[in-house]
Amino acid sequence: MVAAEPRVIRLLMELRRQGISDPRVLGALEKVPRQLFVAAPFLDQAYENHALPIACGQTVSQPYIVALMTQALAVNDRTKVLEVGTGSGYQAAVLAQLCRRVYTLERHKPLLQQAEQRFRTLRIHNITAKLGDGSRGWPEQAPFERIMVTAAAHDIPPLLVDQLQVGGIMVLPVGEAGSGEQDLVRVTRLEQGIDIQHLGPVRFVPLVEGIADT
Ligand code: SAH
């Protein structure tokens, strides 16, 4: 194995200090080269612990948030996951290291196409990506054992809860985008109803209904 770059090691140490303790999550972040997922002007910041702009006015999340959400999702190599909001594809690529299969939906076609190209370049074969409105989920592939939403919803989307299997976990930011902060929550689907755990404040772009024109 190739030794990780110093700036990757520095980032992983920072994540550990911030409370990311799952070695599999840290290993997945070590394996996925974030520089392939950021736009050229931000290459020198690829391993800084902050969010960066991508095309279509969207952002690739801060590595700490990617790690926190991945850890909270508690996946293993048999898990089938739905991600809503492919964006750059970075979060999906991290999940793909740890899961059996990742289904991911994006409403902006250019972002989807770039992400799919990155998955090919990295020879990641267990991601299925599609243009679609993720607030409606992916009924043909449901139920999912895990769902991760990487854009902020006003409320927990009932259609996504419906596509979560009983005992399954969904991690998502909830609250008004643009109003500052949202609340990162971990939803567990029970036999009847759901259990909600609060993981702390986060800042995400909004979950927008429908497919984008661009
Ligand atoms: N997971 C991404 C984060 C991207 S930001 C990454 O690792 O880079 C959130 C993404 O959600 C944006 O690309 C945005 O276009 C997308 N999005 C917002 N609403 C959506 C919806 N209803 N369906 C699918 N994607 C959506």
Side-chain angles (χ1 to χ4, degrees):
M1 207 175 99
V2 186
E5 285 189 57
R7 53 188 189 151
V8 177
I9 293 169
R10 198 173 338 112
L11 174 62
L12 294 173
M13 282 169 62
E14 188 175 331
L15 298 179
R16 216 175 278 140
R17 273 198 304 276
Q18 289 180 294
I20 305 302
S21 53
D22 186 337
R24 293 172 316 134
V25 173
L26 293 165
L29 270 99
E30 182 176 347
K31 269 197 235 142
V32 180
R34 195 165 180 260
Q35 81 265 13
L36 286 191
F37 295 83
V38 305
F42 304 102
L43 264 181
D44 59 330
Q45 297 175 51
Y47 296 96
E48 299 293 324
N49 198 6
H50 53 236
L52 289 170
I54 56 175
C56 305
Q58 306 302 314
T59 52
V60 52
S61 306
Q62 179 191 2
Y64 168 64
I65 297 298
V66 171
L68 181 70
M69 291 176 78
T70 305
Q71 184 166 273
L73 207 61
V75 295
N76 63 48
D77 59 7
R78 294 178 308 282
T79 316
K80 174 183 165 188
V81 184
L82 172 67
E83 182 202 23
V84 173
T86 316
S88 68
Y90 180 68
Q91 173 73 75
V94 168
L95 284 170
Q97 309 301 314
L98 303 168
C99 303
R100 180 168 61 78
R101 180 151 291 276
V102 180
Y103 293 87
T104 181
L105 289 164
E106 172 55 53
R107 64 186 291 278
H108 284 284
K109 197 169 183 186
L111 288 176
L112 179 78
Q113 289 172 333
Q114 286 171 35
E116 287 182 308
Q117 185 53 51
R118 291 173 179 130
F119 303 149
R120 281 193 290 273
T121 303
L122 292 171
R123 294 193 172 79
I124 300 175
H125 301 300
N126 59 337
I127 299 177
T128 310
K130 193 175 91 162
L131 188 70
D133 177 0
S135 63
R136 316 194 66 77
W138 195 325
E140 299 80 8
Q141 297 296 345
F144 297 96
E145 296 163 284
R146 299 289 186 266
I147 299 179
M148 183 188 287
V149 185
T150 63
H154 297 284
D155 294 300
I156 298 169
L159 284 174
L160 294 184
V161 175
D162 288 347
Q163 292 178 30
L164 193 59
Q165 87 181 28
V166 173
I169 296 170
M170 171 159 67
V171 174
L172 76 165
V174 178
E176 304 299 319
S179 71
E181 287 178 346
Q182 304 110 28
D183 193 14
L184 186 65
V185 299
R186 185 186 204 251
V187 174
T188 307
R189 182 162 183 189
L190 308 173
E191 287 282 356
Q192 275 174 6
I194 55 173
D195 175 68
I196 302 176
Q197 219 186 321
H198 297 265
L199 304 178
V202 286
R203 206 176 280 247
F204 274 84
V205 295
L207 185 72
V208 180
E209 288 189 10
I211 308 292
D213 297 331
T214 50

